[in-house]
Amino acid sequence: MLFGRGGEQERKRRLAERLASTDAEVRAAAAQEIARARDQEWAVRELARALDREPSPESFGAIVGPFAEALCRDRVARQRVERMFAAHIDDPAALVREWTALLAEYGAGTPVTSVGDDLADDVRGCLGRLQEWGWRPHEMGRMRPGTFPYTAAFNAAVELLHMAVLRAAPLDPAASERARSEARYAFERALPHPPESQERGEILLKPAQRPEGPSWADRALASVRVDEALSWCRSTEPDRAVLGAEALESMLLFNDEVRRPAARATLDFLAARQPRTLATVLRCYTMLQNSRPLDDPPVDLFLDSLGHPSPRVRVAAASGLDAFGAGSPREGRAVTALVDALNRDPSLDVVRAAASSLALIVCTDEANTAAASAALAAKADARDPGVRAASVEGALFREEPGGFARLAAELRRPDVEPVFLGVADFICGQADSYIPDDVRAELINLVELLDYSGWADRPVEDDLYPDPEDRAELLEQVLDTLRAGNG
């Protein structure tokens, strides 16, 4: 008996050593073995302590998965986690506090000493994504532990929550100042170049992009850079405020979950006080809305901006109304305004933007859906390929009869435009799309014929695909999407 206990203690010691290895594969294998150990309390404790030692988000899943499995096996701990999520689904800060308190009971320290607005907002976003995936915290207690749906829901909840906690770790002051200085230097270099110029955009892109190797500090570093952009947005010098808005737009392309409350407040400030930034501000609002619906979205601002004298502002407004108008009390006004822009705006760019929004707007009122559909159907023979493409895309998006036949007809044209290949890639790449096998085969054949005929090398004026290499990549991408089969 004593020898048996000694052997078990030695086994635990060796597993703990492997869990602390510098080799990620060794740690992952040890975590899986520990999760299945008979001593459930020991397993949970060891894995809980390992969570915050994991050096990279890339390898974190190999540890947090077994940790969630060990929690599931411990009935008391599992039910406590169930109650925790169910009780605080609308209170992210309380959820984080209770979660870190649970980990502390297992001897696991976390880098978070308080729950700030950014962490709470990050967790709110995680909870929103879980619910979009069909996860309902109040139903977990009625699901049978051990089943795939329960395990997937439980593991995802634990992983996303603790990843948010780890991403909220305070930055080293030197690293924070270095990130701020790098952003400020880039902004100063970009300032002499004209607003929205290619030269300015290329400079602003560098501090916005994420580094190649992910780390737990990425979100905090991005927050520092966004903070610098926000400070420029609030400058009393209009030129600096304009650049700050452009920098913010670049950063939101890569970090739309960073500093959302502060970004929203700053956009509201700019919309009220800096008219030169309005087009950029509208695009930034749209990125935030598409990432996660905003509280009290500025629908009226978008509707009013459709009457702005600047075509750039009207394009930004039309491009965002599918996101802001759908499902809102002003949905009917949004559809009416987009139809009016489609039919009457003197700028072709605005017409194209309105057509694209009408193609993809998801209305809650069938009358509004019918109005959007009818307006696009009337443009089926439009001279402009962008407007025709939106007409086809809307028919396909709403699964209207004849949509695929219209797409195939466009792909048979000798002068087929890249935008129609983009429509095929988008519609056929939707996770819930179903395309009859004969239709898919026909589309594949038509795209292959374009490839064989040298379509990519033909002179085509297109902003998105200006070079033969770009068009060749587009053909390859569309063929990959079509060949992937029904989703």
Side-chain angles (χ1 to χ4, degrees), residues 475-486:
L475 285 172
E476 183 178 357
Q477 178 179 317
V478 175
L479 283 172
D480 287 344
T481 298
L482 289 168
R483 290 165 177 163
N486 288 308

Side-chain angles (χ1 to χ4, degrees), residues 374-459:
L376 289 176
K379 299 295 181 179
D381 297 321
R383 177 176 300 179
D384 179 69
V387 176
R388 286 202 319 276
S391 178
V392 172
E393 187 171 53
L396 290 168
F397 188 66
R398 297 186 178 95
E399 299 182 350
E400 296 172 2
F404 281 113
R406 292 173 59 193
L407 176 60
E410 291 286 352
L411 295 178
R412 289 193 193 95
R413 291 171 62 114
D415 58 345
V416 60
E417 298 280 349
V419 67
F420 290 98
L421 290 161
V423 170
D425 185 57
F426 171 71
I427 293 295
C428 299
Q430 295 295 298
D432 58 351
S433 67
Y434 176 80
I435 304 168
D437 291 340
D438 59 334
V439 172
R440 185 180 295 275
E442 180 184 16
L443 294 176
I444 290 173
N445 180 59
L446 290 170
V447 177
E448 286 178 338
L449 286 174
L450 288 174
D451 194 9
Y452 298 150
S453 69
W455 173 83
D457 295 320
R458 296 177 187 174

Side-chain angles (χ1 to χ4, degrees), residues 14-206:
R14 291 182 179 179
L15 281 172
E17 285 182 354
R18 288 169 55 201
L19 190 61
S21 170
T22 56
D23 188 317
E25 292 185 1
V26 173
R27 295 196 302 274
Q32 291 178 0
E33 194 170 344
I34 290 172
R36 296 188 290 269
R38 284 179 295 180
D39 188 342
Q40 295 175 357
E41 183 178 350
W42 172 81
V44 173
R45 185 172 63 251
E46 287 297 321
L47 291 168
R49 292 171 175 174
L51 292 178
D52 295 344
R53 296 200 305 264
E54 200 54 33
S56 168
E58 287 184 313
S59 56
F60 180 69
I63 305 300
V64 73
F67 170 67
E69 179 184 342
L71 275 178
C72 273
R73 292 181 62 227
D74 186 327
R75 182 177 60 84
V76 174
R78 182 185 72 240
Q79 291 178 345
R80 180 173 173 182
V81 173
E82 289 174 0
R83 291 193 299 270
M84 181 189 308
F85 274 90
H88 301 308
I89 188 64
D90 295 319
D91 190 351
L95 176 59
V96 171
R97 287 192 291 269
E98 191 165 343
W99 173 250
T100 54
L102 171 64
L103 294 179
E105 292 176 16
Y106 289 106
T110 62
V112 173
T113 56
S114 62
V115 185
D117 290 343
D118 284 340
L119 175 54
D121 191 66
D122 198 8
V123 174
R124 186 178 292 108
C126 294
L127 293 171
R129 286 194 295 276
L130 287 167
Q131 291 181 84
E132 288 173 5
W133 299 340
W135 179 80
R136 299 291 182 269
H138 62 280
E139 295 176 356
M140 288 187 67
R142 298 199 293 269
M143 297 167 66
R144 186 161 59 87
T147 61
F148 177 78
Y150 182 94
T151 300
F154 191 93
N155 287 9
V158 168
E159 180 171 357
L160 288 178
L161 173 58
H162 201 67
M163 285 188 77
V165 170
L166 292 178
R167 285 196 299 262
L171 271 180
D172 173 79
S176 177
E177 182 53 37
R178 184 164 55 251
R180 188 177 297 278
S181 296
E182 290 171 352
R184 189 181 300 124
Y185 174 68
F187 299 168
E188 294 287 359
R189 284 180 55 226
L191 189 59
H193 296 285
E196 298 198 354
S197 64
Q198 181 177 348
E199 295 83 1
R200 177 179 279 196
E202 289 176 353
I203 295 172
L204 294 178
L205 195 61
K206 186 174 180 180

